[in-house]
Each structure stands twice: as C-alpha cells, then as structure tokens.
Amino acid sequence: MPSKMLLIDDEEGVLASLERLFRREQCVILKAHSGAEARACIKANADIAVIICDMRMPDDTGDKVLQYAQEMIPEARRIALTGYADSSLIVNAVNNGHVERFFLKPWNDELLRDAVRKSLRQFDIEAEKARLEAVVYEQNEKLQSANETLERKVAERTADLKRSSTLVRQSMFAILELLTRLMEMYVPGLRGHCRRVADLSRLLAREAGCSEGDILIAEAAGLVHDIGKCSMASALHSKRILEMTTEEKLQYCQHPGIGAELLRDVPWFEKIATVVRHHHESYSGKGFPDKLAGEGIPLGARIIAVADAYDRHRHPIGENV
C-alpha cells in the first residue's frame, strides 16, 4: 500500500511545485492550503508517512501544525519549509514538532527529494519495527503461557527447589533460542554469531569469577545481544559502519536500545535487557547508546563486547554483525 505524503502551504503555486516534484514517488499526495485544512487532514489520515509544512500561513504557524501532527501521528516524519530565517519558529518546530529537516524557499529539488526519500524509508523501517515487536510480543505471550503451564506441572509433581529452578532456566533459554532463530531468519548475517558469542561469554564470565547467576545472564544476553538489528533496514545488514551515512549510523546506534526494550517486557529478562543495551559502550566513554565509561558499564556488557569483537575477528563475513 503506497505511503501518504501531506503538503501544507497557503500558496497554490508552492503546492503545485511540490506535487510535481514528488509525482513519481511511490506515495499518495495530500494537500492542505491552511493550518485548519492540515489539522483536519492529519486527523483523518493516521497513516501519513511524511509531512512537508510551510512555517507561516495566514491562519496558523507551521510549528503549531507540526506540534499537532506530533501529538496525533508521532510516527510521521516532518520537514519544514520557510521563506526566511525565523529562529523562534525554528526552535519551536524542532522542540515541539520534532522537525527533522528545514529547507529555505526556494529549495533545491534534488536535496528536498532526497530528504523525503530518506524520510519515507525511515517511516517504513519504524513500521517494520512495530510489526516485529507485535510478532515478538505475540510469541512471548504464547511462550509465557507455556512456561506458566510448565511451572504449574512442576509444582504439582515436586517441591524440590533445585528441580524447579532448573526447569525455569531451561524454559528461559528455550525462549532465547527461539528469539535467536527468529533473529537469524531476518538477519542472515547473524547466523551462528550469537550462539558463539553466548558460549564465549559464559566461559569469560566463569574465568572472571562471576556468580552462577551472572554467568547465566552473560550467556543469555549473548544469545540475543543483536536482536535490535531486526529493526534496521535490510540494506544495513551487509554494510560496514565505515561505509554508512550519518543517518545510517544513527539508526545502527539505536539497535542496542531497541533490543533492550523488546526484552524488558518479558518476565525474568530485565537483567538480560540491561546487558544487551550496553554491549556497545566503550571503556573510554565513546560508545553508545548511553556513553557509559569504565566500570560504569555492567560487567556482563563488557564481557559480551569482548566476545563479540573476538568472534567478528575470528569469523569475518563482510557484514556488520
């Protein structure tokens, strides 16, 4: 289904020019001549992918319209047009309307077209992320139900705490193995990598004198440390970081946080999620996503970082696993 683009400007000539510029794009073009028309259109079309909005109109200002869009359809990407530099409107548009790009009139067609294409791709990526989250959530619900049934049967058959603990651990790893298989189906370059990182993390954690609980967390987090890459565009799966554009690097740097959020909703996975979030931090503080440094980085995350780097060195596959 084609994406929708909303063009907002009180000048008919500007709207006509924008419509001609994007006529060949794979999207449905909607137009609004005023702030009121724009608000009505936004309210009626919750699936708008990109909004291009003039900053000044007779009945409204672009920053307020874009703020309304942010409240109603936060997934839409927003681009602002202005005929002159107005710092207050620009600041409001960025802070309240979450504008991604500004273009001065008259704009450069190629630059504006390229920005819109990138925004459409980003919108599709976010939509795919939401779909994957829904799939994972559904699987988690089914697996959680299965685990509850298993725990009930264990409680009925034995009061032995050690036996119960063992079965719960097995169930947890069954979930992680399933998530790993789903991840490898979507990101083929990860095949085998996560299992090797998990095995090496377990060994490193044991050598470091970690408790049994921390050893299990290191191994478990190793299995799913790259699950957030399922949210990335497939083109980035085979692209080295040095070859990425600035926007692609920003998207790449989001994957540990996205992976942590996916895992945090599953019972027992809070500690695993924390390790996954910080496995790309650097001891120098120049890593991501939170720029933690030194021993402020969780030990499990430091262990996985070493295992991850070692495995990529031993098994180079030309992809940014």
Side-chain angles (χ1 to χ4, degrees):
M1 186 174 181
S3 298
K4 292 181 181 179
M5 181 190 306
L6 174 59
L7 310 176
I8 308 168
D9 201 294
D10 60 305
E11 297 182 32
E12 184 60 42
V14 172
L15 289 177
S17 296
L18 290 171
E19 187 173 18
R20 284 194 301 271
L21 180 61
F22 300 115
R23 187 170 292 160
R24 294 186 179 181
E25 303 300 321
Q26 299 272 331
C27 59
V28 175
I29 295 178
L30 307 173
K31 296 187 293 183
H33 300 78
S34 66
E37 281 187 26
R39 292 168 188 267
C41 189
I42 290 168
K43 186 175 182 179
N45 295 272
D47 55 346
I48 293 173
V50 176
I51 299 172
I52 300 178
C53 183
D54 185 24
M55 282 291 94
R56 285 198 177 277
M57 292 169 282
D59 69 329
D60 217 331
T61 56
D63 62 317
K64 293 181 180 178
V65 173
L66 291 172
Q67 181 178 354
Y68 179 77
Q70 165 66 17
E71 295 168 354
M72 296 295 290
I73 47 173
E75 300 84 3
R77 324 306 294 184
R78 289 166 288 283
I79 296 174
L81 295 178
T82 182
Y84 48 88
D86 188 326
S87 59
S88 63
L89 282 181
I90 291 174
V91 170
N92 287 339
V94 171
N95 290 339
N96 302 323
H98 292 226
V99 170
E100 296 178 346
R101 295 288 300 275
F102 267 91
F103 286 88
L104 290 173
K105 297 178 182 179
W107 59 82
N108 179 293
D109 283 354
E110 287 302 316
L111 292 178
L112 181 55
R113 188 187 291 115
D114 183 61
V116 167
R117 287 173 177 172
K118 289 179 179 177
S119 293
L120 287 169
R121 285 197 297 272
Q122 187 63 35
F123 179 84
D124 290 341
I125 289 168
E126 294 296 332
E128 179 65 9
K129 170 180 172 287
R131 186 189 69 79
L132 286 170
E133 287 177 341
V135 170
V136 172
Y137 179 80
E138 182 181 355
Q139 292 298 322
N140 286 340
E141 287 290 301
K142 292 178 180 178
L143 290 167
Q144 183 177 347
S145 176
N147 280 329
E148 289 172 355
T149 300
L150 177 61
E151 289 178 359
R152 186 167 54 251
K153 289 180 178 179
V154 170
E156 290 171 354
R157 293 173 183 177
T158 178
D160 182 57
L161 182 60
K162 183 176 180 180
R163 172 64 176 165
S164 177
S165 175
T166 299
L167 287 172
V168 170
R169 184 182 67 183
Q170 290 173 347
S171 299
M172 183 184 76
F173 272 89
I175 296 173
L176 294 171
E177 292 283 359
L178 175 59
L179 291 175
T180 300
R181 290 197 295 272
L182 290 171
M183 178 173 51
E184 290 177 347
M185 289 171 60
Y186 190 75
V187 189
L190 293 176
R191 190 162 291 124
H193 169 70
C194 293
R195 179 70 264 177
R196 293 191 299 270
V197 169
D199 290 341
L200 185 54
S201 296
R202 182 184 66 249
L203 294 174
L204 289 172
R206 182 165 286 120
E207 286 296 317
C210 294
S211 67
E212 281 302 314
D214 287 340
I215 292 171
L216 286 176
I217 289 170
E219 181 182 5
L223 279 173
V224 290
H225 70 281
D226 273 340
I227 193 170
K229 288 185 177 178
C230 292
S231 68
M232 297 184 345
S234 58
L236 295 187
H237 296 161
S238 58
K239 200 168 186 179
R240 295 182 181 278
I241 296 176
L242 292 176
E243 300 170 349
M244 293 182 184
T245 64
T246 299
E247 288 191 15
E248 288 172 337
K249 287 179 181 176
L250 288 174
Q251 184 189 149
Y252 175 78
C253 290
Q254 292 174 359
H255 83 265
I258 292 172
E261 289 305 312
L262 288 174
L263 295 166
R264 192 165 281 119
D265 292 334
V266 184
W268 314 312
F269 283 10
E270 293 86 354
K271 292 182 179 179
I272 296 172
T274 298
V275 173
V276 168
R277 178 176 180 86
H278 297 300
H279 78 276
H280 272 297
E281 304 287 0
S282 170
Y283 212 76
S284 66
K286 296 181 179 180
F288 58 88
D290 299 318
K291 298 190 181 301
L292 301 183
E295 298 194 9
I297 305 169
L299 178 59
R302 282 181 271 157
I303 288 172
I304 287 178
V306 173
D308 181 38
Y310 178 79
D311 186 73
R312 283 189 284 113
H313 177 72
R314 289 294 305 275
H315 301 274
I317 57 176
E319 298 180 352
N320 87 62
V321 300

